[in-house]
Amino acid sequence: MNIEIIKCHGSNNDFVLIDELFHTYHFSEVDRVSIATMLCDRDGLIGADGILFTMPSDHADARMRMFNPDGSEAEMCGNGLRCVGRYVCEQLDRNEIMVETKEADLSVVKKGEIYDDVPAYEVSIEPVRLDPQLFMKTEKKLHVELPIENLSEDLTFTAVSVPNPHLITMVPEIHDENLSSIGKQANEDKNLLPSGVNVSFIQPLGDQKIFVRTYERGVGLTNACGTAMSASSLTTVLLEINQLSEEIYVYNRGGFVICVVEKQGDEYFIKLRGNATYEYRTSLNVEFEHYTFEEQSNREGFEQEKQAYAKLQEHAKEEINLAAHE
Ligand SMILES: N[C@@H](CCC[C@H](N)C(=O)O)C(=O)O
């Protein structure tokens, strides 16, 4: 089967976008899993943190289904939603659309630039729930800054569903080996976390700024995770480190995003704003029976936007260094 793809990223959390709105591909559920495991493989031709199936919806402008490299399907993907949002906005010639996701219809709005020549897309991250029982075996009704003995002797965690599951912890300094080992352990402990979990470490940088690193369920360490940065922003608001309704700059290995946490009654709402950058477009011939694929065309690169994004990333690195030495 011939499949056209766009390789894209949000904060260098990179994806393969497949358009089923304007192409008629008949994928079975097994095909979707094969596409995810084959195309995301970092030792293969493409390599990515996930697949974004951009599909028709019976009530919204489009529907997004997101698959991790291990073939599992996630409830949501914040960085991916910006990429799908951009794609659909451009196809429909609109600046604002609604995208159906597993648990909610979410708005995507094109909103100026996040940095010079880097257009910004703002997405709603909903529903936001603090009930740990949604994904963790626990008697507790709320799990904010509490220990989880099976995962760490000294760290405390906050459980947030947005609606994919997240455990967040505050640390003075981030050590990848520690995050990786806790992330692996959390995803192996099916008695505690039956559907797995994304684990993030937050390093506060002061002045409404944080640095977030995430071990993603179904992936491992990634450059950034949009839902994790949203859940982390909420965590810092709950812990009164950052302010409600104010912009929170979230730095990551691949750049930065801006989150705003709002509260209405007892409910929280999060907006996530950041880039949606295309790297290249190409077409693939996928042989599902043989579990193989090859590239059919030369890659069409998006050099200008890649260069603009490289400057954003340089700026993010400088900001992180400055904050770390203040
Ligand atoms: N990187 C994504 C989240 C992708 C799904 C995650 N690995 C999960 O299984 O929940 C994001 O930007 O939110």
Side-chain angles (χ1 to χ4, degrees):
M1 183 189 287
N2 251 28
I3 305 175
E4 283 176 28
I5 65 160
I6 294 181
K7 184 74 193 307
C8 52
H9 75 85
S11 275
N12 272 314
N13 189 200
D14 62 345
F15 307 101
V16 170
L17 186 152
I18 299 178
D19 169 17
E20 294 178 68
L21 279 176
F22 298 96
H23 295 95
T24 320
Y25 303 125
H26 295 286
F27 299 134
S28 67
E29 288 304 292
V30 175
D31 292 345
R32 292 185 195 280
V33 173
S34 301
I35 287 175
T37 52
M38 270 196 278
L39 272 52
C40 292
D41 182 1
R42 293 278 176 203
D43 295 325
L45 275 179
I46 309 287
D49 293 329
I51 307 288
L52 302 168
F53 292 104
T54 305
M55 308 163 70
S57 162
D58 59 13
H59 59 277
D61 297 302
R63 175 178 173 207
M64 174 180 86
R65 289 185 70 186
M66 192 275 173
F67 283 68
N68 287 313
D70 69 352
S72 60
E73 183 173 4
E75 297 84 343
M76 232 305 263
C77 177
N79 291 327
L81 182 58
R82 297 202 308 279
C83 296
V84 168
R86 167 186 170 176
Y87 181 78
V88 177
C89 278
E90 287 178 353
Q91 298 306 308
L92 302 182
D93 196 18
R94 300 241 301 268
N95 284 329
E96 196 166 343
I97 53 153
M98 291 298 284
V99 179
E100 177 188 347
T101 62
K102 236 180 171 186
E103 289 197 29
D105 293 342
L106 299 171
S107 63
V108 183
V109 183
K110 186 173 184 202
K111 265 206 167 159
E113 292 181 342
I114 187 142
Y115 194 69
D116 297 342
D117 300 320
V118 182
Y121 287 82
E122 182 178 87
V123 300
S124 302
I125 303 290
E126 291 167 29
V128 177
R129 288 173 297 203
L130 291 171
D131 177 357
Q133 294 178 2
L134 285 169
F135 61 85
M136 188 160 67
K137 292 268 170 65
T138 173
E139 297 294 306
K140 297 191 174 62
K141 297 267 184 284
L142 194 65
H143 194 109
V144 176
E145 275 263 277
L146 292 174
I148 300 178
E149 278 171 24
N150 297 20
L151 299 187
S152 168
E153 283 175 6
D154 48 350
L155 296 174
T156 52
F157 297 87
T158 298
V160 182
S161 155
V162 283
N164 55 347
H166 292 269
L167 288 176
I168 316 281
T169 188
M170 307 284 306
V171 289
E173 232 177 72
I174 293 172
H175 295 289
D176 281 0
E177 319 74 59
N178 196 17
L179 173 57
S180 259
S181 102
I182 292 177
K184 274 184 200 141
Q185 204 175 323
N187 281 283
E188 277 164 13
D189 192 341
K190 297 294 178 211
N191 289 327
L192 180 66
L193 296 148
S195 314
V197 73
N198 299 286
V199 181
S200 297
F201 280 9
I202 308 177
Q203 183 179 346
L205 301 175
D207 200 17
Q208 294 284 117
K209 293 176 186 164
I210 55 177
F211 183 87
V212 176
R213 184 101 165 105
T214 303
Y215 181 95
E216 281 194 46
R217 172 180 68 169
V219 198
L221 284 179
T222 55
N223 284 321
C225 171
T227 45
M229 294 187 287
S230 306
S232 299
S233 296
L234 171 65
T235 301
T236 61
V237 168
L238 295 173
L239 301 180
E240 296 181 355
I241 291 162
N242 286 326
Q243 303 278 328
L244 193 69
S245 307
E246 299 281 329
E247 289 185 340
I248 300 172
Y249 278 71
V250 187
Y251 294 91
N252 55 62
R253 275 287 176 95
F256 73 93
V257 296
I258 299 171
C259 290
V260 178
V261 180
E262 301 281 3
K263 191 176 185 196
Q264 280 167 27
D266 287 339
E267 280 189 66
Y268 288 96
F269 299 87
I270 308 170
K271 290 272 196 268
L272 165 72
R273 189 156 92 239
N275 73 301
T277 303
Y278 290 171
E279 292 175 39
Y280 61 86
R281 195 194 292 273
T282 190
S283 88
L284 309 175
N285 180 31
V286 180
E287 299 271 1
F288 288 106
E289 318 78 71
H290 303 114
Y291 193 74
T292 56
F293 73 96
E294 57 187 15
E295 246 176 301
Q296 291 279 83
S297 58
N298 290 329
R299 293 182 180 185
E300 176 197 342
F302 293 84
E303 300 313 320
Q304 269 184 346
E305 54 186 282
K306 283 200 303 202
Q307 278 167 22
Y309 192 80
K311 288 188 186 145
L312 176 151
Q313 210 177 343
E314 271 313 301
H315 167 78
K317 278 186 194 149
E318 282 163 20
E319 289 289 305
I320 296 163
N321 282 339
L322 272 178
H325 294 107
E326 259 170 20

